[in-house]
Amino acid sequence: MLYGALEAGGTKMVTAIINEKGEVLDRASFPTETPETTMPVLIDWFKERKPDALGIGTFGPADPDEASPTYGYITSTPKLAWKDYNILGAFREALNIPIGFDTDVNAAALGEASFGCMKGLSDGIYITIGTGVGVGVLTNGKLLHGMLHPEAGHILLATNPKDSFEGCCPYHKNCFEGLAAGPAIEKRWGKKAVELKDVPEVWELEAEYIAKALVNYILILSPKKIVLGGGVMHQLQLFPLIRKKTAELLNGYINTKEIHDIDNYIVPASLNDNQGILGCAKLAENAIR
Amino acid sequence: MLYGALEAGGTKMVTAIINEKGEVLDRASFPTETPETTMPVLIDWFKERKPDALGIGTFGPADPDEASPTYGYITSTPKLAWKDYNILGAFREALNIPIGFDTDVNAAALGEASFGCMKGLSDGIYITIGTGVGVGVLTNGKLLHGMLHPEAGHILLATNPKDSFEGCCPYHKNCFEGLAAGPAIEKRWGKKAVELKDVPEVWELEAEYIAKALVNYILILSPKKIVLGGGVMHQLQLFPLIRKKTAELLNGYINTKEIHDIDNYIVPASLNDNQGILGCAKLAENAIR
């Protein structure tokens, strides 16, 4: 079997062909322009490679509810060219193969659960912190959708009293994404995150906001593993700071073997930034079943 | 079939006998003292009534993981007489019938999902706000345990800048329970909640904290329904305030039919405070299967 994988992002579309072992046999990347210009390129790429099934992990909001009339649509995205766009339908019509569909972060969570550090776990979360913050959630062995799908990058946090930055989410002044995604770091400190590597207070504050979010994820979802990926998390100096601050904030309230072994509980993505496309391959496999 | 139900609370133990239709045929209540004095009374009560199975929904933290060596224990509770107590084992030995086990709030969520206003929904939450705050969670049609079980009453919230009350949770200064459970209301305002019914600022602030928590539950769990029970929620004037504030804080970010119909999304418990024991009866039924 050959699985097609499409990680549909707001800036780029990553395509891949992956075999049953999770080996990436081919991959490419295309800028995300409009459905009219971008979709034919993607469709041709997959048509030439003839996968047996396709898995799509998309930016959102999207509709992953199979029972919904807008299943497979990118819905109320601020990227207006893609608003209410039936991306699943377009691929179905062009390729005529089974297609799985979910959010980009749910796909990444599935990638880690199928091939990476969440393998064998029934419950875990994958968080990406980059230009935005997204969270994919696995509960009871299944990806979580519920009413829509988690939008846990937008949870409200208590702002550090010394932080005068107002947050840069257009919806919520003090949400996680608005306080801690890449653009927030750049606006608060006046430089890009990568240029601030040696400024400790940047990462102390960043770790504090990430830890405040993790504490709420832990208390609400009770995950068995927390995987952090995305551009900001390439700053690996964050990990020890996040772990320390998370333990401090929980303050001994949750007594589990996982929390006591926090170095193996809060971890970096384990699949060299292939967690998304590998998860898409798994969505493709599931679509065949 | 006759199902035995035990809602094991920190102050009282509620027992019931319930039939397959969810009708409560018999019920009683006993003070929660120590296992030595309380357990024989409960065991005798059930022995006399001969249920075919028993369901236990307990205060916690508890261990609801069937694969764990401490499955069925009340674990690190501050009620020391019950700390690390194998309540499931004690009933198993005495009654020799199938027994289901979960947290009190998961049982209540199951009660609402089986007989009440969450019937037919795959994803929803039940929140009790009383002497403490607890949250039971249904995702993908199953009760959520994960690493332990949700402890979502302890999520950290942004304190209202005009609220000088420090919170009364011994673990976290600004957690939901510490800011908004019954004891917090009483300590902040110097009177019991029921005596403050006509003081609008009490309920404005209470609704703000509840709404801040709901926003995070919505963004993380994406529930299809939110059911609020417990002593504090008997103040029904809270509901319109909570709905308004929740919508304000979400600020249009989540566009779903459920959020647009918020009066039917955030609702009071629907089973006359029987949601707990009815959920326990369902745990009993599931234990037979």
Side-chain angles (χ1 to χ4, degrees):
Chain A
M1 289 283 180
L2 285 184
Y3 303 121
L6 171 63
E7 197 179 3
T11 17
K12 64 180 178 178
M13 297 281 184
V14 178
T15 56
I17 299 293
I18 294 169
N19 68 15
E20 283 166 321
K21 292 178 194 162
E23 292 162 340
V24 181
L25 307 178
D26 198 353
R27 69 184 293 160
S29 177
F30 306 93
T32 304
E33 293 165 348
T34 65
E36 291 69 32
T37 58
T38 308
M39 287 295 290
V41 179
L42 301 175
I43 286 167
D44 284 351
W45 195 89
F46 286 113
K47 272 192 173 168
E48 281 169 24
R49 285 157 184 85
K50 301 190 174 49
D52 297 290
L54 176 65
I56 302 170
T58 183
F59 67 101
D63 185 347
D65 174 5
E66 290 186 40
S68 161
T70 54
Y71 171 56
Y73 282 56
I74 296 169
T75 57
S76 56
T77 170
K79 286 192 75 80
L80 294 181
W82 296 85
K83 191 169 183 294
D84 299 320
Y85 180 67
N86 183 1
I87 188 168
L88 173 64
F91 278 110
R92 272 188 173 159
E93 199 168 300
L95 299 179
N96 201 26
I97 53 176
I99 306 182
F101 181 83
D102 217 308
T103 64
D104 47 5
V105 277
N106 262 357
L110 184 62
E112 290 287 355
S114 305
F115 302 102
C117 67
M118 294 207 300
K119 203 166 174 173
L121 297 182
S122 57
D123 299 78
I125 60 178
Y126 174 85
I127 306 166
T128 181
I129 307 178
T131 51
V133 177
V135 183
V137 179
L138 188 79
T139 63
N140 287 318
K142 289 187 175 175
L143 295 171
L144 179 60
H145 300 136
M147 170 176 68
L148 171 67
H149 49 70
E151 280 285 356
H154 287 264
I155 61 166
L156 306 179
L157 301 179
T159 309
N160 180 306
K162 292 181 190 156
D163 180 18
S164 58
F165 181 63
E166 265 220 327
C168 57
C169 168
Y171 291 91
H172 320 109
K173 282 210 169 165
N174 59 326
C175 81
F176 182 20
E177 176 171 306
L179 291 169
I185 298 175
E186 191 175 338
K187 279 193 189 160
R188 180 187 290 111
W189 303 97
K191 285 182 187 176
K192 280 191 187 297
V194 285
E195 298 165 37
L196 294 160
K197 199 170 168 62
D198 300 322
V199 187
E201 57 265 42
V202 171
W203 308 108
E204 284 287 343
L205 185 66
E206 182 70 9
E208 176 183 321
Y209 287 132
I210 296 172
K212 281 178 173 172
L214 295 198
V215 163
N216 285 358
Y217 300 156
I218 292 167
L219 293 167
I220 293 174
L221 289 166
S222 201
K224 293 178 178 177
K225 180 89 78 176
I226 295 176
V227 183
L228 286 154
V232 171
M233 295 314 302
H234 289 155
Q235 303 291 324
L236 295 178
Q237 73 274 20
L238 275 170
F239 280 88
L241 301 174
I242 292 167
R243 291 177 188 128
K244 182 166 172 278
K245 193 75 193 169
T246 301
E248 271 173 34
L249 289 169
L250 284 173
N251 197 22
Y253 185 69
I254 303 289
N255 273 301
T256 60
K257 63 181 192 302
E258 291 88 349
I259 297 287
H260 290 291
D261 185 20
I262 202 161
D263 289 354
N264 289 309
Y265 183 61
I266 299 172
V267 297
S270 69
L271 295 165
N272 295 314
D273 287 334
N274 279 341
Q275 56 274 12
I277 53 169
L278 286 169
C280 292
K282 190 72 186 175
L283 289 174
E285 187 190 328
N286 293 347
I288 291 180
R289 284 183 187 170
Chain B
M1 287 283 180
L2 285 184
Y3 303 122
L6 171 64
E7 198 179 3
T11 19
K12 63 180 177 177
M13 297 281 182
V14 178
T15 55
I17 299 292
I18 295 170
N19 68 14
E20 284 167 320
K21 294 179 194 163
E23 292 163 339
V24 181
L25 308 179
D26 198 354
R27 68 184 292 160
S29 177
F30 306 93
T32 303
E33 293 165 349
T34 66
E36 291 69 31
T37 56
T38 308
M39 287 296 290
V41 178
L42 300 175
I43 286 167
D44 284 350
W45 195 90
F46 286 114
K47 272 192 173 169
E48 281 169 26
R49 285 157 184 85
K50 298 190 175 51
D52 297 290
L54 175 65
I56 303 170
T58 182
F59 68 101
D63 185 348
D65 175 5
E66 290 185 40
S68 160
T70 54
Y71 170 57
Y73 282 56
I74 296 169
T75 57
S76 55
T77 171
K79 284 192 77 79
L80 294 180
W82 295 85
K83 191 169 185 293
D84 299 320
Y85 179 67
N86 184 1
I87 186 168
L88 174 63
F91 279 109
R92 273 187 173 159
E93 200 169 299
L95 300 180
N96 201 27
I97 54 176
I99 306 183
F101 180 82
D102 217 308
T103 63
D104 46 5
V105 277
N106 263 356
L110 184 62
E112 290 287 355
S114 305
F115 302 101
C117 67
M118 296 206 300
K119 202 165 176 175
L121 297 182
S122 56
D123 300 77
I125 60 179
Y126 174 85
I127 307 166
T128 180
I129 307 178
T131 51
V133 177
V135 184
V137 179
L138 188 80
T139 64
N140 286 317
K142 288 187 176 174
L143 295 172
L144 179 61
H145 300 134
M147 170 176 68
L148 172 67
H149 49 68
E151 279 284 358
H154 287 263
I155 62 166
L156 306 179
L157 301 180
T159 309
N160 180 306
K162 292 181 191 157
D163 181 18
S164 59
F165 180 63
E166 266 220 326
C168 58
C169 168
Y171 291 92
H172 319 109
K173 282 211 169 164
N174 60 324
C175 80
F176 182 20
E177 175 170 306
L179 290 170
I185 298 174
E186 190 175 341
K187 279 195 188 159
R188 181 187 288 110
W189 303 97
K191 285 182 187 175
K192 282 192 186 296
V194 284
E195 297 164 39
L196 294 158
K197 200 171 167 61
D198 299 323
V199 188
E201 57 264 42
V202 171
W203 307 108
E204 284 288 343
L205 185 65
E206 182 69 10
E208 177 184 320
Y209 287 132
I210 296 172
K212 281 178 172 172
L214 295 197
V215 163
N216 285 359
Y217 300 155
I218 291 166
L219 293 166
I220 294 175
L221 290 166
S222 201
K224 294 177 179 177
K225 181 89 77 177
I226 295 175
V227 182
L228 287 153
V232 171
M233 295 314 303
H234 288 156
Q235 303 292 324
L236 295 178
Q237 74 273 22
L238 275 168
F239 280 89
L241 301 173
I242 292 167
R243 291 178 188 128
K244 181 164 173 278
K245 192 75 191 167
T246 301
E248 271 174 33
L249 290 170
L250 284 172
N251 197 20
Y253 185 70
I254 303 289
N255 272 301
T256 60
K257 62 180 191 305
E258 290 88 349
I259 297 287
H260 290 291
D261 185 20
I262 202 160
D263 289 353
N264 288 309
Y265 184 60
I266 298 171
V267 296
S270 69
L271 296 165
N272 295 316
D273 288 333
N274 279 341
Q275 56 273 12
I277 53 168
L278 286 169
C280 292
K282 190 73 185 175
L283 289 174
E285 185 189 328
N286 293 347
I288 290 180
R289 286 182 185 169

